[in-house]
Amino acid sequence: MTRQLVATALGRTKADLVIRNATLVNVNSGELLENQDIAVTGDRIALVGEASHTIGSSTSVVDVRGKYVAPGFVDGHVHIESSMITVTQFARAVLPWGTTTCCIDPHEIGNVLGVPGVRLMLDEAQQLPLKVFVTAPSCVPASAFETPGAQIGPMEIEEMMQWDGVIALGEMMNYPAVLAGDEGVHGEIAATLHHGRVVEGHDTGLLGRELAAYAAAGITSSHESVRKVDALQRLRLGMYAMLRQGSAWLDVPETVKCVTEAHADPRHVCVVTDDREPDSIVRDGHMNHAVRVAIEHGVDPVTAIQMGTLNPAEHFEIAREVGSIAPSRLADIIVLDSLTQMRIDRVFADGRLVAAAGKPVIEFERPSYPDVARRSVHLSRDLKPEDFVVKSPVARGEVEVRVIGALEGSVLTRQLVRALPVRNGHVQPKVDEAILKTALVQRHSGSTAMGVGFTHGFAFGKGAVASTVAHDAHNLLVLGTNDRDMAVAANTLADVGGGIVTVVDGETVALVELPIAGLMSEQPVEEVSAAVSRMYTVWQDLGCRWISPFMTMSLLGLTVLPELRLSDRGLVDTVKFEFVSPFA
Amino acid sequence: MTRQLVATALGRTKADLVIRNATLVNVNSGELLENQDIAVTGDRIALVGEASHTIGSSTSVVDVRGKYVAPGFVDGHVHIESSMITVTQFARAVLPWGTTTCCIDPHEIGNVLGVPGVRLMLDEAQQLPLKVFVTAPSCVPASAFETPGAQIGPMEIEEMMQWDGVIALGEMMNYPAVLAGDEGVHGEIAATLHHGRVVEGHDTGLLGRELAAYAAAGITSSHESVRKVDALQRLRLGMYAMLRQGSAWLDVPETVKCVTEAHADPRHVCVVTDDREPDSIVRDGHMNHAVRVAIEHGVDPVTAIQMGTLNPAEHFEIAREVGSIAPSRLADIIVLDSLTQMRIDRVFADGRLVAAAGKPVIEFERPSYPDVARRSVHLSRDLKPEDFVVKSPVARGEVEVRVIGALEGSVLTRQLVRALPVRNGHVQPKVDEAILKTALVQRHSGSTAMGVGFTHGFAFGKGAVASTVAHDAHNLLVLGTNDRDMAVAANTLADVGGGIVTVVDGETVALVELPIAGLMSEQPVEEVSAAVSRMYTVWQDLGCRWISPFMTMSLLGLTVLPELRLSDRGLVDTVKFEFVSPFA
């Protein structure tokens, strides 16, 4: 293969594709270079410079005079499942926005289906022009407080590290276990380091000695910075600071000040998407959006593009494959109308035009999924309204209850205490104060075990919503103003194999079907986005007017984020890391 | 192991070593940070920041207030054999100068002993505080024009890539074969890429499409830049530009202009030593010297230190082990009195103090070497003066002869044509014009086969010199004013097992014994340096007054460098790559 590239570079054989007269964003040298040609043979770049001698009668020549050419974006941290679409549909959705490589952490499907779920994602990606590298999910379950569909430990990590395409241990979000010296998580890290792979971090707000201790575990990235100081301390401790611009976390404007104000060397700074809902992809784009936000907040465009290409590629030690436009690299190339606006004109992946003017120009084959992926919502029986009852220690009046305080646009919750009314010995939600009953039903092993509590923030005036997307164990989350609608919502999802449903007065008023592992749709992103939009319209009509409320809702069960969460086994104080009584 | 580091960082267990109050050269963030502590447990860094909580009764505390602390240097390209000392003696020699990691290309010993020679270097390094990573020699022989002691091809590369500590394919100096699409060299590259390893480059003066073609072969570094444009083009094509500051090549002042004048991103720029003679190590230092020269030529000190630490570590994908001071990295730490002068006060390697005030403070065990390494000069019989005769096509008068034009301080030679006197049908050297007879005798298989020619430049007025260090096949090089001294010189080296000898009127007047593979001494660098100095004094007395003449001399047989070279099989035009007649 190298022989072929050499022959093309010298003009002995002709290129398959030559892009001519580009203004090249050279991320390797950190320069904008005018009048550059790029010669491509097969799926790789043979030459950058002057390429007329590589053009033959069958060479496809694309003149891009007046336009910029940059490497395809490399998303250093992304959960495809968060976009609610399959890997194939995700490729179709993000390639037109210039994302040609994703380092995915399939820990959502890992929590549902275990190692075979990870394999499923990797295998599906093999046929796609989108390069998908896998970071093996490290926290399945995220903590011992949850019941996932499968468990992943050092043995499973050891197995996955031997797969082609697995480049890292996925975000080690169980940082309390890391700091406590837990043998399981350190065993996973040891297996990863033994294979010469990278360990990805996910910590919330660690600083100083605790952050140093986290880094001492061999963890060399973190995407949880929300302030300048977070990013700066991570860089100083030898971690890559991955700055998030997802749908619900908009960290770049603040965190990028580590470069624009503190003037840290930007080489270890990446912009990543982490989680993007389908409608944000359709509306704002993907990695091009994250890079654009960095530029809007004062980062030089070439540096910002490095943050979305070369930097993550170097972090994962895949920079000889992707992340720059240079001989021998894969020909993942984007053509831009505007550097600052990150308007993508055309996208080449593996040397092939895959998108133009924001639309895919190739066909994507529809893969088939095994039954185990299609039928992942297992309840032992239909749920009944009385399953959701919260018995009060007092028969009537009011009772002080621990309430999860959800916050718009935040991954964090507050631990609130509210007085809730008691009727017939049952604690009632306080709908007019946006305090709803919340249940997490174990959906993996055919049980109806559930934890029930209360959440403040989602201002639904009536009805109930349910979701099989409920980080990270992805049990069946139900949030409602009354027990009857909650039961109907849960049973509806069990029937359709998963998704998000809104039920009012016993009737389904919005449904987003996500039949693959209860997480993903096989429909194109535009259709899923439309379905989610319809759902949000319904939610707004019902009184819930937050931006991206679903992302916040779906984290109510994530027992590694402060301060109070609900699992299928009960209410968890995620500061002290212990189960707590619903009653204060 | 990570558990222990975490425990120390949190103060649960105490550090073995704490360095306090440093002004830290933070190569990860590109900053100078004051009042930093570094806590070390075992051989790794547990914490950087404030470390008082990690200090216990058995913690060794080193206060370095007022001094700078930087990571130990990483030499990205170095041939230990060029320093004429064993790996152990090399470690003892360079650790006090702050070099704690070397990426070596043992292709000198590889040419003499083959794969077992490479293994010997790697095994010897295991016990040392100097980290030695091996790039597997790619060009043994350097070209088909030479007869080495062993051959290395794709099969041997495949074998070595499976060894721990082998991180790359060594400098692919046979660039004509790369450009010609030769199956052998591309097979070596394929084996390397298959194992996910880096391919090192060595090209001379390639630019434009030829350089692109060379990069298209998957080669991602080059240390042969001599001009700004060389370095800049390499950076732009996605190669690391390794800027040499060896004994005989002083490239940094000119090449570093790619950063200081052209303002290329310095992240892919490294300074390397390549080849340093023992006396330059003793006098000027090692990597600290290369970094100092970069600073002297306008590079910001932190950036220059990155060029000698983090940048090469990232290139070789060993940055999670070495190249920066951060939690979980190996505790290779240098203390500097002066940042710009690169004056090294103390050196820690693997968390242990190994040198202070320029001297080693630990003992180095003397390894034992197998007989095959100790007895590597194999001639079938003593050489006689008549073995060196060059028969002329004319019986008397003069004859036009192709003469190798050596150049002081340069790796290049010129192809000269000179009229040389003929006596009794034998071509004579022209000693008063510094044209000496030159022979390369095959020393590996017990033959006396040799190529004989003439060299201009070494102004010895009488006598002869011989060397078993003769890149890259390391046959027996003899340069003389008369055939008798040439024979005596050659036979003397065969007797002592190799080295460099100077003979005048049949008597040995200087001898540097290099009994390990005919390349290396087991003596300390100071003694070898003194022996070389004594030899240079003799050479100067004999009329040869060049700076570092030996390095230039030892390349006379390197058939991959322009323009004219001598091998054991005859004279080689290394521009056209063909054997040529000695007669013009």
Side-chain angles (χ1 to χ4, degrees):
Chain A
M1 193 268 305
T2 53
R3 296 170 73 205
Q4 228 174 317
L5 294 173
V6 169
T8 300
L10 295 172
R12 282 202 302 265
T13 59
K14 299 307 174 186
D16 295 325
L17 165 71
V18 172
I19 298 173
R20 304 214 69 179
N21 301 312
T23 297
L24 176 68
V25 181
N26 191 318
V27 293
N28 284 309
S29 66
E31 299 172 298
L32 276 180
L33 297 172
E34 298 194 341
N35 293 315
Q36 298 288 302
D37 303 339
I38 302 156
V40 175
T41 290
D43 59 356
R44 291 192 184 254
I45 296 166
L47 172 141
V48 181
E50 207 289 311
S52 53
H53 64 288
T54 71
I55 298 174
S57 53
S58 63
T59 304
S60 164
V61 178
V62 180
D63 195 304
V64 295
R65 190 179 299 277
K67 293 183 194 288
Y68 298 91
V69 163
F73 296 117
V74 178
D75 194 344
H77 182 68
V78 51
H79 304 283
I80 288 181
E81 301 98 314
S82 294
S83 299
M84 303 179 193
I85 47 182
T86 59
V87 177
T88 302
Q89 290 297 347
F90 186 80
R92 187 186 162 281
V94 302
L95 282 166
W97 297 113
T99 303
T100 52
T101 295
C102 287
C103 303
I104 70 168
D105 185 337
H107 81 174
E108 318 305 354
I109 199 169
N111 266 276
V112 178
L113 301 177
V115 171
V118 177
R119 186 81 234 179
L120 202 64
M121 300 288 275
L122 197 55
D123 287 345
E124 181 173 348
Q126 294 309 307
Q127 312 307 322
L128 297 170
L130 181 75
K131 254 71 63 189
V132 174
F133 295 96
V134 165
T135 70
S138 65
C139 299
V140 177
S143 80
F145 298 101
E146 306 177 17
T147 310
Q151 304 235 353
I152 291 178
M155 297 271 291
E156 289 76 18
I157 295 300
E158 174 66 33
E159 177 192 345
M160 287 187 279
M161 284 300 148
Q162 295 172 45
W163 296 354
D164 272 354
V166 171
I167 51 169
L169 182 66
E171 50 179 328
M172 176 48 76
M173 68 183 95
N174 195 352
Y175 57 88
V178 172
L179 299 192
D182 175 84
E183 288 194 20
V185 299
H186 282 272
E188 293 185 353
I189 289 171
T192 305
L193 297 178
H194 172 72
H195 284 275
R197 305 244 191 277
V198 185
V199 181
E200 296 298 289
H202 168 125
D203 62 280
T204 304
L206 294 184
L207 288 175
R209 75 174 69 163
E210 290 193 323
L211 183 62
Y214 190 64
I219 294 164
T220 48
S221 82
S222 166
H223 54 266
E224 292 288 317
S225 297
V226 295
R227 298 163 298 173
K228 175 172 76 172
V229 66
D230 297 332
L232 201 53
Q233 284 208 8
R234 279 151 184 76
L235 294 175
R236 288 174 175 168
L237 290 171
M239 307 172 90
Y240 275 70
M242 295 186 165
L243 315 183
R244 285 195 295 205
Q245 198 67 18
S247 291
W249 9 99
L250 315 172
D251 298 326
V252 169
E254 192 59 33
T255 52
V256 84
K257 292 177 182 170
C258 67
V259 170
T260 55
E261 292 182 0
H263 303 295
D265 190 329
R267 67 199 284 175
H268 294 167
V269 177
C270 308
V271 291
V272 300
T273 66
D274 201 351
D275 304 284
R276 275 183 84 74
E277 297 187 7
D279 65 308
S280 356
I281 294 177
V282 170
R283 189 181 61 241
D284 294 327
H286 192 247
M287 279 293 291
N288 63 321
H289 175 68
V291 171
R292 182 198 303 132
V293 172
I295 294 170
E296 284 169 0
H297 288 81
V299 181
D300 162 76
V302 174
T303 305
I305 291 170
Q306 287 177 321
M307 291 176 180
T309 56
L310 183 65
N311 300 3
E314 290 193 343
H315 170 59
F316 288 109
E317 299 175 350
I318 54 176
R320 287 172 288 127
E321 295 291 303
V322 299
S324 72
I325 293 179
S328 81
R329 271 62 161 191
L330 287 165
D332 294 347
I333 297 166
I334 62 179
V335 181
L336 299 104
D337 289 328
S338 155
L339 210 52
T340 51
Q341 297 297 310
M342 285 289 125
R343 268 204 314 269
I344 315 293
D345 176 59
R346 264 166 290 186
V347 179
F348 297 86
D350 296 336
R352 194 161 56 121
L353 184 72
V354 295
K359 300 286 171 204
V361 298
I362 56 167
E363 292 300 316
F364 291 84
E365 269 183 46
R366 184 175 165 152
S368 63
Y369 299 90
D371 263 8
V372 66
R374 291 196 168 275
R375 301 205 182 138
S376 69
V377 185
H378 307 279
L379 301 181
S380 56
R381 58 165 171 79
D382 273 4
L383 293 174
K384 298 183 286 264
E386 45 272 36
D387 290 321
F388 296 92
V389 156
V390 178
K391 285 190 184 149
S392 165
V394 298
R396 67 186 61 83
E398 285 192 333
V399 64
E400 297 264 293
V401 172
R402 285 196 172 83
V403 171
I404 301 169
L407 301 164
E408 183 176 11
S410 174
V411 302
L412 304 179
T413 64
R414 297 280 170 255
Q415 179 163 174
L416 310 174
V417 174
R418 290 289 183 274
L420 295 187
V422 179
R423 248 180 283 151
N424 304 324
H426 298 167
V427 187
Q428 304 298 320
K430 221 167 184 176
V431 175
D432 54 344
E433 291 183 15
I435 298 174
L436 304 192
K437 192 179 278 183
T438 310
L440 256 166
V441 188
Q442 217 268 70
R443 67 140 161 139
H444 299 301
S445 62
S447 99
T448 55
M450 69 175 80
V452 188
F454 293 88
T455 302
H456 172 267
F458 298 96
F460 294 98
K462 54 183 178 171
V465 299
S467 169
T468 50
V469 178
H471 301 269
D472 278 346
H474 299 293
N475 282 307
L476 178 49
L477 171 71
V478 196
L479 205 78
T481 60
N482 66 85
D483 297 345
R484 183 175 156 249
D485 283 345
M486 289 176 80
V488 172
N491 293 331
T492 303
L493 290 189
D495 287 347
V496 302
I500 315 165
V501 69
T502 309
V503 170
V504 176
D505 298 334
E507 297 295 322
T508 296
V509 294
L511 176 63
V512 181
E513 291 191 44
L514 304 172
I516 308 299
L519 301 170
M520 295 174 282
S521 165
E522 290 176 89
Q523 301 303 312
V525 67
E526 296 83 357
E527 293 186 26
V528 179
S529 171
V532 172
S533 291
R534 283 192 298 274
M535 178 181 80
Y536 276 166
T537 304
V538 168
W539 286 16
Q540 280 167 2
D541 290 347
L542 292 171
C544 177
R545 299 198 167 80
W546 279 359
I547 304 288
S548 295
F550 178 68
M551 195 68 88
T552 306
M553 183 187 295
S554 67
L555 295 177
L556 291 176
L558 184 48
T559 56
V560 295
L561 290 178
E563 293 176 357
L564 188 66
R565 305 277 159 172
L566 184 68
S567 91
D568 58 298
R569 295 161 56 201
L571 209 55
V572 184
D573 179 325
T574 46
V575 176
K576 296 185 185 150
F577 285 95
E578 57 187 30
F579 282 110
V580 289
S581 157
F583 303 105
Chain B
M1 194 268 305
T2 52
R3 296 171 72 205
Q4 228 174 318
L5 293 173
V6 169
T8 300
L10 294 172
R12 282 202 300 265
T13 59
K14 300 306 175 187
D16 296 323
L17 165 72
V18 171
I19 298 172
R20 303 213 73 179
N21 302 311
T23 298
L24 175 69
V25 182
N26 192 317
V27 294
N28 285 309
S29 66
E31 298 173 299
L32 276 181
L33 298 172
E34 298 191 341
N35 292 317
Q36 297 290 301
D37 303 339
I38 302 158
V40 174
T41 289
D43 59 356
R44 293 193 183 254
I45 296 166
L47 172 141
V48 181
E50 208 289 312
S52 53
H53 63 289
T54 71
I55 297 175
S57 53
S58 62
T59 303
S60 163
V61 178
V62 180
D63 195 304
V64 296
R65 190 180 299 277
K67 296 182 191 289
Y68 298 91
V69 163
F73 295 118
V74 178
D75 194 344
H77 182 66
V78 51
H79 304 284
I80 288 181
E81 301 97 314
S82 295
S83 299
M84 302 182 195
I85 45 182
T86 59
V87 177
T88 301
Q89 289 297 348
F90 186 81
R92 188 186 160 282
V94 303
L95 282 167
W97 297 113
T99 303
T100 52
T101 295
C102 286
C103 303
I104 71 168
D105 185 337
H107 81 172
E108 319 305 353
I109 200 169
N111 266 274
V112 177
L113 301 177
V115 170
V118 177
R119 187 79 234 180
L120 202 63
M121 301 287 274
L122 197 55
D123 286 345
E124 183 174 347
Q126 294 309 307
Q127 311 310 321
L128 297 171
L130 180 76
K131 257 67 67 189
V132 174
F133 294 97
V134 165
T135 71
S138 65
C139 299
V140 177
S143 80
F145 297 102
E146 305 177 19
T147 310
Q151 306 235 352
I152 291 177
M155 297 270 291
E156 288 77 19
I157 295 299
E158 174 66 33
E159 179 193 343
M160 288 187 280
M161 285 301 148
Q162 296 172 45
W163 297 354
D164 271 354
V166 171
I167 52 169
L169 183 65
E171 49 179 329
M172 178 47 77
M173 68 182 96
N174 196 351
Y175 58 88
V178 172
L179 299 191
D182 174 84
E183 290 195 18
V185 298
H186 282 273
E188 293 185 353
I189 290 171
T192 306
L193 297 177
H194 171 72
H195 284 275
R197 306 246 191 275
V198 185
V199 182
E200 296 298 288
H202 167 124
D203 63 279
T204 304
L206 294 182
L207 288 175
R209 73 174 70 164
E210 290 193 323
L211 183 62
Y214 189 65
I219 294 163
T220 48
S221 82
S222 166
H223 55 266
E224 291 290 315
S225 297
V226 294
R227 298 163 298 173
K228 175 171 78 172
V229 65
D230 296 333
L232 201 53
Q233 284 207 8
R234 279 153 184 75
L235 293 175
R236 287 173 177 169
L237 290 170
M239 307 170 90
Y240 274 70
M242 294 185 166
L243 315 184
R244 284 196 295 205
Q245 198 69 17
S247 292
W249 9 100
L250 314 172
D251 298 328
V252 168
E254 192 58 33
T255 51
V256 82
K257 292 177 181 168
C258 68
V259 170
T260 55
E261 292 182 0
H263 304 295
D265 190 329
R267 68 200 282 174
H268 293 166
V269 177
C270 308
V271 291
V272 300
T273 66
D274 202 350
D275 304 284
R276 276 183 84 75
E277 297 186 7
D279 64 309
S280 355
I281 295 177
V282 171
R283 191 181 59 242
D284 294 327
H286 193 246
M287 280 293 290
N288 63 321
H289 175 67
V291 171
R292 181 198 303 133
V293 172
I295 295 169
E296 283 168 1
H297 288 82
V299 181
D300 163 76
V302 175
T303 306
I305 291 170
Q306 287 178 320
M307 291 177 180
T309 56
L310 183 64
N311 300 3
E314 291 194 342
H315 169 61
F316 288 108
E317 299 175 350
I318 53 176
R320 286 171 288 125
E321 296 289 304
V322 297
S324 71
I325 293 179
S328 82
R329 272 61 161 191
L330 287 167
D332 294 347
I333 298 167
I334 62 179
V335 182
L336 299 104
D337 289 327
S338 154
L339 209 53
T340 52
Q341 297 297 309
M342 286 290 126
R343 267 204 315 270
I344 315 294
D345 176 58
R346 264 166 292 186
V347 179
F348 297 86
D350 296 337
R352 194 161 57 120
L353 183 72
V354 295
K359 301 287 170 203
V361 299
I362 56 166
E363 293 300 315
F364 291 85
E365 270 182 46
R366 185 176 164 149
S368 62
Y369 299 90
D371 264 7
V372 65
R374 290 195 170 275
R375 299 200 184 141
S376 70
V377 185
H378 306 279
L379 301 182
S380 55
R381 59 165 169 80
D382 274 4
L383 293 176
K384 295 184 287 265
E386 47 271 36
D387 289 324
F388 295 92
V389 156
V390 177
K391 285 189 183 147
S392 164
V394 297
R396 66 186 63 83
E398 287 192 327
V399 64
E400 298 265 292
V401 172
R402 285 194 172 86
V403 171
I404 301 168
L407 301 165
E408 184 177 10
S410 173
V411 303
L412 305 178
T413 63
R414 296 280 171 256
Q415 178 162 176
L416 309 175
V417 175
R418 290 290 184 272
L420 295 187
V422 178
R423 250 181 278 154
N424 303 326
H426 298 167
V427 187
Q428 303 298 320
K430 221 168 184 175
V431 175
D432 53 344
E433 291 183 16
I435 298 175
L436 304 191
K437 193 179 278 182
T438 311
L440 257 166
V441 188
Q442 216 268 70
R443 68 139 161 140
H444 299 300
S445 62
S447 99
T448 55
M450 71 175 77
V452 187
F454 293 88
T455 301
H456 173 267
F458 298 96
F460 295 98
K462 55 184 178 172
V465 299
S467 169
T468 50
V469 178
H471 299 270
D472 274 351
H474 299 294
N475 281 308
L476 178 48
L477 172 70
V478 196
L479 206 78
T481 62
N482 67 83
D483 296 347
R484 184 173 154 251
D485 284 345
M486 290 176 78
V488 172
N491 293 331
T492 303
L493 291 189
D495 286 348
V496 302
I500 316 166
V501 68
T502 308
V503 170
V504 176
D505 297 334
E507 298 295 323
T508 296
V509 294
L511 176 63
V512 181
E513 290 190 46
L514 304 172
I516 307 301
L519 300 171
M520 294 174 282
S521 166
E522 290 176 90
Q523 301 303 312
V525 68
E526 295 84 358
E527 292 186 27
V528 178
S529 171
V532 172
S533 292
R534 283 192 297 273
M535 179 182 77
Y536 277 165
T537 304
V538 168
W539 286 17
Q540 280 168 3
D541 291 346
L542 291 172
C544 177
R545 299 196 167 82
W546 279 359
I547 303 288
S548 295
F550 178 69
M551 195 68 89
T552 307
M553 185 187 293
S554 69
L555 296 175
L556 292 175
L558 185 48
T559 56
V560 294
L561 290 177
E563 294 176 359
L564 188 65
R565 303 279 159 172
L566 184 68
S567 91
D568 59 298
R569 295 161 57 200
L571 209 55
V572 184
D573 180 326
T574 46
V575 177
K576 295 182 184 152
F577 285 96
E578 56 189 27
F579 282 111
V580 289
S581 160
F583 303 105

